[in-house]
Each structure stands twice: as structure tokens, then as C-alpha cells.
């Protein structure tokens, strides 16, 4: 054990994570920054670096699988760009801040005194080490469930981000006007989540046939993503 000073804080973090560790030492190691391990004469394996390495791999696989299944018409290049946005330092740090992960870390005095608890790089590494710890304590499916609870919103935002710069609805409308007199129709298939954190699922159809689907934080975003998927299905690069 690394000598985590407050077991009550470990309990608090597990509640925030909505995961109870069988092997609490894994959680303790995931919270131990290399600066703390060095200052306290701990073996390198007692810092979170190895779990960070593992968590990075698990996160990459989970996000890749999610994108592959959720967006069947997106080409490889598009999926790669979205994954890079999700599995990035800012996104991982954002996920860490949502549960105030920085306050639970064991840091060396130097890192503590220079604001390490709120540094993106340290928070991102801690997100990955927590992921690795959960994977080692359980299995892939449990780690996947944990990650999607914490990262699905980030994934959706990364997917929708492109719609802020390209008006896919207008492009689709102009493209279809050349080949059909049928009108495009956008409809909300379903809504998920509370009012302050809602996801909209929108289908775009022509002549009653659905030609694309999209997800967004609001109807406009979802409509843009549905139009983008329709364009991708029809062929072409619209980035």
C-alpha cells in the first residue's frame, strides 16, 4: 500500500466514480503521482504511470468501438479525427474535473505548490490511470460501461463539432435538389437525459425513407449531424 492518508476520501471518490473497488490498492496506486512516489521512496510501480499506460489503451479501444458501432457510415479518417479529439488531454482533464479528481491525488510538494491538482496533463493522466485500475479490478465490459458514462457526452460533442463550421443541411439540400423534387424532412427520433444535459436523436428523410441520423446537444446540432451522415452515405468527403 502507498499509505493513502484518508480512507474516507477513497470511499468518497468511489461514490463519485459509481464503482466500488475489490482491490483498493489499485485505486490508491491510480491516485499516486510519480512526484509523490519519488518523494516517499516508493517503487516506480507504485505510481500511476503503469495504470495510465493501460488506461490509455482501454480508453482508445472503447472509444473506437463506440464510434465504429454508432456511426456506421463514417469513413476511417473521420473516425480517427473524432477519436483523437476524445482521447485528448483537454477531454480527459474535463472528465477528471467533473468528479473533482484532482482533490484526491497524491502529489509531491513541488507539484502541489505549483498547481498540479488543476493541471490538464496531471488530470488527464489520472483519468487514464483510474480507467486502467477499474479494468484491472474488473473486466473490459465494466470499464467500458464506466467510460461511456463519463465520456459519451464528450464523444457526441466531438462528433458534432464539425457542424459549427460546415452547413451540412444546406449542402445536402442543394445536392438533392439536383436529383429529386422530394422535400427533406427532419424529425426527432428520441430524446435522452435530463433537461440540462439532453441528447437529441434526429433522422433526416426524403420521400419517407431515412437517409441519415445524427445526435446533438440540441435539435440544430443533431440535424446537422444527420445531414452530414446522409452526405457521407451518398459518397464524398465533407470536412
Amino acid at each position: 500500500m502507498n499509505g493513502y492518508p484518508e480512507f474516507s476520501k477513497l470511499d468518497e471518490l468511489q461514490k463519485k466514480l459509481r464503482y466500488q473497488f475489490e482491490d483498493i490498492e489499485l485505486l490508491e496506486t491510480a491516485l499516486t503521482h510519480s512526484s509523490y512516489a519519488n518523494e516517499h521512496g516508493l517503487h516506480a510501480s507504485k505510481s500511476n504511470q503503469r495504470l495510465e499506460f493501460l488506461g490509455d489503451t482501454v480508453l482508445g479501444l472503447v472509444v473506437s468501438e463506440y464510434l465504429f458501432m454508432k456511426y456506421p457510415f463514417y469513413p476511417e479518417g473521420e473516425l480517427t479525427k473524432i477519436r483523437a479529439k476524445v482521447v485528448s488531454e483537454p477531454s480527459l482533464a474535463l472528465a477528471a474535473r467533473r468528479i473533482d479528481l484532482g482533490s484526491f491525488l497524491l502529489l509531491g510538494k513541488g507539484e502541489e505548490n505549483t498547481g498540479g491538482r488543476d493541471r490538464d496533463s496531471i488530470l488527464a493522466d489520472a483519468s487514464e490511470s483510474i480507467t486502467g485500475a477499474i479494468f484491472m479490478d474488473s473486466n473490459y465490459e465494466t470499464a467500458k460501461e464506466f467510460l461511456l458514462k463519463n465520456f459519451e457526452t464528450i464523444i457526441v460533442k466531438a462528433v458534432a463539432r464539425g457542424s459549427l463550421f460546415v452547413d451540412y443541411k444546406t449542402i445536402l439540400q442543394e445536392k438533392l435538389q439536383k436529383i429529386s423534387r422530394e422535400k427533406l424532412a427532419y424529425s426527432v427520433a428520441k430524446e435522452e437525459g435530463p433537461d440540462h444535459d439532453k441528447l437529441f436523436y434526429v433522422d433526416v428523410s426524403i420521400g419517407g425513407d431515412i437517409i441519415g441520423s445524427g445526435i446533438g446537444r440540441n435539435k440544430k446540432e443533431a440535424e446537422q449531424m444527420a445531414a452530414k451522415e446522409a452526405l457521407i452515405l451518398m459518397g464524398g468527403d465533407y470536412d
Side-chain angles (χ1 to χ4, degrees), residues 156 160 198-201 214-219 221-223 225:
V156 170
K198 193 177 288 293
L199 289 178
F200 291 86
Y201 294 73
I215 307 173
R217 306 308 306 173
N218 53 56
K219 291 179 184 178
E221 259 187 19
E223 287 175 355
M225 294 313 301

Side-chain angles (χ1 to χ4, degrees), residues 24-232:
I24 199 66
E25 187 173 355
L26 281 168
L27 176 57
E28 195 173 321
T29 301
L31 298 172
T32 303
H33 190 260
S34 58
S35 62
Y36 181 94
N38 290 336
E39 281 189 14
H40 290 77
L42 300 176
H43 190 272
S45 64
K46 293 300 182 180
S47 78
N48 63 9
Q49 290 180 319
R50 282 167 51 84
L51 287 174
E52 173 198 334
F53 161 78
L54 180 61
D56 175 65
T57 301
V58 174
L59 177 60
L61 178 57
V62 168
V63 173
S64 296
E65 180 187 4
Y66 177 93
L67 293 172
F68 183 84
M69 299 301 294
K70 198 76 172 179
Y71 304 100
F73 303 117
Y74 279 36
E76 180 269 342
E78 178 85 359
L79 296 177
T80 298
K81 285 186 285 185
I82 295 169
R83 182 181 60 192
K85 292 176 183 177
V86 177
V87 188
S88 67
E89 189 173 283
S91 294
L92 291 166
L94 173 62
R97 288 191 177 96
R98 285 177 173 170
I99 59 170
D100 193 24
L101 185 56
S103 69
F104 297 93
L105 298 177
L106 295 178
L107 299 177
K109 292 179 181 178
E111 291 292 354
E112 183 78 62
N113 294 334
T114 56
R117 291 193 185 279
D118 195 46
R119 187 174 301 135
D120 276 7
S121 59
I122 289 179
L123 291 175
D125 291 348
S127 285
E128 291 178 333
S129 64
I130 289 288
T131 298
I134 290 175
F135 173 74
M136 288 300 295
D137 194 61
S138 56
N139 50 51
Y140 173 74
E141 288 302 321
T142 301
K144 174 181 168 182
E145 181 181 357
F146 163 77
L147 286 169
L148 291 182
K149 283 178 183 176
N150 289 279
F151 283 89
E152 187 165 23
T153 300
I154 294 173
I155 295 171
V156 170
K157 285 183 177 179
V159 172
R161 202 164 290 152
S163 66
L164 299 175
F165 305 100
V166 181
D167 186 355
Y168 296 108
K169 290 179 66 175
T170 297
I171 296 172
L172 180 62
Q173 181 73 38
E174 292 174 348
K175 188 176 181 69
L176 289 177
Q177 279 178 344
K178 298 176 182 179
I179 58 176
S180 174
R181 293 185 178 180
E182 296 277 1
K183 290 186 177 181
L184 284 171
Y186 293 87
S187 59
V188 177
K190 65 176 180 176
E191 300 177 14
E192 286 184 351
D195 289 341
H196 68 279
D197 193 26
K198 193 177 288 293
L199 289 178
F200 291 86
Y201 294 73
V202 167
D203 295 327
V204 57
S205 58
I206 185 168
D209 296 323
I210 295 174
I211 60 173
S213 299
I215 307 173
R217 306 308 306 173
N218 53 56
K219 291 179 184 178
K220 289 183 178 180
E221 259 187 19
E223 287 175 355
Q224 288 285 357
M225 294 313 301
K228 183 176 182 180
E229 183 173 272
L231 286 165
I232 290 172

